[in-house]
Amino acid sequence: MEQQFDAILSGSDSPIEGLVSQTTFDGNQAWDFKSIDETLHLVIAKDKKGNWIRVDGTEPYLSGWVGELAEQITKQ
């Protein structure tokens, strides 16, 4: 069963609202954030050491979004 939830990331001008879905990337569990206005796409996953990293998405992006999204995933 695919898990989905609403999330908000801190934008440079205003908050960015979107939907997070559980997915796979290169055969590993990942989380896919897509903003409601379709301007931001961010995919994160844990690396071999268990650290959250960005594995795909739109450019440019703020590096802080990885931590923000990981925190919201962990709370789910």
Side-chain angles (χ1 to χ4, degrees), residues 39-41 54 57-63 65:
T39 60
L40 176 63
H41 179 217
R54 176 185 176 271
T58 53
E59 295 281 345
Y61 76 99
L62 299 176
S63 60
W65 287 338

Side-chain angles (χ1 to χ4, degrees), residues 39-55:
T39 60
L40 176 63
H41 179 217
L42 178 65
V43 182
I44 67 170
K46 287 188 176 182
D47 64 13
K48 292 179 182 181
K49 294 181 179 181
N51 299 313
W52 288 99
I53 58 168
R54 176 185 176 271
V55 294

Side-chain angles (χ1 to χ4, degrees), residues 4-18:
Q4 292 185 334
F5 62 92
D6 295 328
I8 299 175
L9 299 178
S10 300
S12 56
D13 296 329
S14 61
I16 303 169
E17 297 180 29

Side-chain angles (χ1 to χ4, degrees), residues 1 8-9 24-25 27-28 30 37 48 71 74:
M1 175 189 255
I8 299 175
L9 299 178
T24 57
F25 186 86
N28 298 309
D37 65 5
K48 292 179 182 181
E71 185 177 319
T74 303

